[in-house]
Amino acid sequence: MKVVVWNENRHEKQNSMVADIYPEGIHGAIAKFLIEDGHDVSTATLDEPEHGLAENKLANTDVLIWWGHLAHHEVEDQLVEKIHQRVLEGMGLIVLHSGHFSKLFKKLMGTGCDLKWREADERERLWVVDPSHPITVGLDQYFELEKEEMYGEHFDIPVPDQLIFISWFEGGEVCRSGVTYQRGKGKVFYFRPGHETYPTYYDQNVQTVIKNAVNWAAPIDTPIHKYGNVQSLERISEKT
């Protein structure tokens, strides 16, 4: 499977704490454990030509993973349109953490995608609420992150096709932290954890979720439907 990990890669350049936690970037950390899982993985970042997603690369991507925060507005609208079309055609998409506010995710959701947030080093407990879903394979009934940024309800997203995880935070808030959607032939998974100043993507449970999500989101060989005006399959009798 061909997986591309896209990361804005600005925090790593501007914040020494983030650079220390992710010396190869958030994209590098995620790519590493996916390579170890046997996938053909490459990375792309905002400041590369065409944001690292040239047309031929995007056309050959099975699953795209997206992390952004500081510079959502810098992502070119033309690229957003191209990725949106690829999802409709069947490419899988995994949106992580602050990617909920990206142009791409908001376009796919058709809502504002806003929420409450707070940075207070608080504990997060992620409850598995759909233990039958393949994204939860290998997990216990819940897992905890010692420190994370709080995201809280109301999270302005459409009602999910499937609700996989609900988070509880030490300060009392809850959040729908793992949700899936189908858009066209493509499968979309949003997964909440991953604030840049915490080593979240080294956590084994978080890695398990992302690995499972890549396998779940992969394109499958299903019929290609054509739209618009079509010729009849059968002869239409003349009306008198």
Side-chain angles (χ1 to χ4, degrees):
M1 197 185 315
K2 292 185 177 180
V3 182
V4 175
V5 184
W6 190 92
N7 174 29
E8 188 180 275
N9 198 36
R10 288 286 176 82
H11 288 287
E12 295 89 331
K13 296 177 179 179
Q14 300 175 12
N15 187 324
S16 60
M17 179 187 298
V18 179
D20 287 344
I21 296 171
Y22 295 109
E24 297 179 7
I26 289 173
H27 53 295
I30 295 172
K32 182 177 180 180
F33 67 74
L34 290 176
I35 291 170
E36 292 170 353
D37 208 40
H39 297 300
D40 180 355
V41 185
S42 60
T43 62
T45 58
L46 179 68
D47 292 327
E48 295 176 53
E50 300 180 80
H51 300 326
L53 294 172
E55 195 160 340
N56 63 334
K57 183 170 184 174
L58 193 56
N60 288 289
T61 298
D62 295 313
V63 178
L64 176 64
I65 298 175
W66 191 274
W67 196 104
H69 184 201
L70 289 176
H72 297 313
H73 62 286
E74 293 185 36
V75 177
E76 294 181 3
D77 293 340
Q78 185 178 14
L79 177 63
V80 173
E81 293 294 334
K82 289 179 180 179
I83 299 172
H84 180 266
Q85 183 60 38
R86 284 287 293 121
V87 172
L88 298 182
E89 293 168 355
M91 183 184 73
L93 177 67
I94 299 170
V95 177
L96 299 175
H97 191 57
S98 47
H100 74 91
F101 223 43
S102 64
K103 291 180 181 179
L104 175 61
F105 191 64
K106 289 195 284 188
K107 181 176 179 64
L108 286 162
M109 295 300 102
T111 59
C113 298
D114 212 342
L115 42 67
K116 297 181 177 70
W117 62 274
R118 176 176 62 242
E119 292 182 44
D121 291 351
E122 52 197 296
R123 179 162 49 101
E124 177 179 6
R125 180 179 297 139
L126 291 101
W127 286 95
V128 174
V129 295
D130 185 354
S132 69
H133 199 280
I135 289 178
T136 69
V137 171
L139 300 175
D140 205 337
Q141 61 181 331
Y142 69 85
F143 64 92
E144 293 187 353
L145 299 171
E146 182 181 355
K147 294 180 181 180
E148 251 296 349
E149 179 181 16
M150 186 280 292
Y151 280 6
E153 297 288 346
H154 174 248
F155 186 6
D156 185 20
I157 52 176
V159 174
D161 293 341
Q162 297 160 307
L163 176 60
I164 314 299
F165 301 105
I166 290 178
S167 288
W168 166 89
F169 293 90
E170 197 172 349
E173 287 83 4
V174 297
C175 186
R176 288 167 290 169
S177 288
V179 294
T180 71
Y181 298 92
Q182 181 175 313
R183 293 293 184 265
K185 288 185 66 179
K187 288 178 278 187
V188 179
F189 176 55
Y190 171 75
F191 188 45
R192 198 219 68 81
H195 186 61
E196 66 277 358
T197 59
Y198 303 118
T200 300
Y201 294 117
Y202 298 116
D203 182 89
Q204 290 300 308
N205 288 306
V206 170
Q207 292 186 5
T208 293
V209 171
I210 295 174
K211 290 175 185 177
N212 289 344
V214 166
N215 293 329
W216 169 83
I220 55 177
D221 189 14
T222 55
I224 298 173
H225 286 271
K226 296 181 180 179
Y227 301 95
N229 185 262
V230 296
Q231 297 297 314
S232 62
L233 296 176
E234 313 293 342
R235 182 176 180 275
I236 301 172
S237 59
E238 294 182 6
K239 304 296 189 293
T240 58

